[in-house]
Amino acid sequence: FLMGIIYLENELAEKAAAAFEAAAQSRSALEEGVTTYLPNYNLGVIYECQGNRQAAEKYYTKCGCYEPAQERLQALNEAFKDGEKVW
């Protein structure tokens, strides 16, 4: 997970996405969320920034009740009306 953050901060989105995918597959962590909602949230952010709404929604949805992900889902839904991008 930490490598994903480092890659993201250095604008290496593909490497960040791979690191977050690996973190989401891991089942051992010392901190809550680093193998569940946090990598999925960051994957959602990456895909949203790349304009891939479908993938962003998929990963935000995987975050469950994580409030920042719920806010992004709401923003995505408001930004698209009748299938057209309005922002």
Side-chain angles (χ1 to χ4, degrees), residues 2-62:
L2 182 56
M3 287 307 301
I5 296 294
I6 291 168
Y7 289 136
L8 197 55
E9 289 293 320
N10 286 284
E11 300 179 16
L12 299 169
E14 288 183 31
K15 287 186 176 187
F20 290 133
E21 287 282 358
Q25 298 301 317
S26 177
R27 293 295 165 231
S28 62
L30 297 176
E31 296 293 323
E32 179 185 348
V34 298
T35 61
T36 55
Y37 61 89
L38 291 174
N40 286 315
Y41 175 76
N42 283 296
L43 284 162
V45 170
I46 290 168
Y47 290 118
E48 182 179 356
C49 289
Q50 292 176 343
N52 187 338
R53 179 180 183 223
Q54 185 176 10
E57 286 180 338
K58 171 187 167 184
Y59 286 102
Y60 288 145
T61 301
K62 286 184 173 189

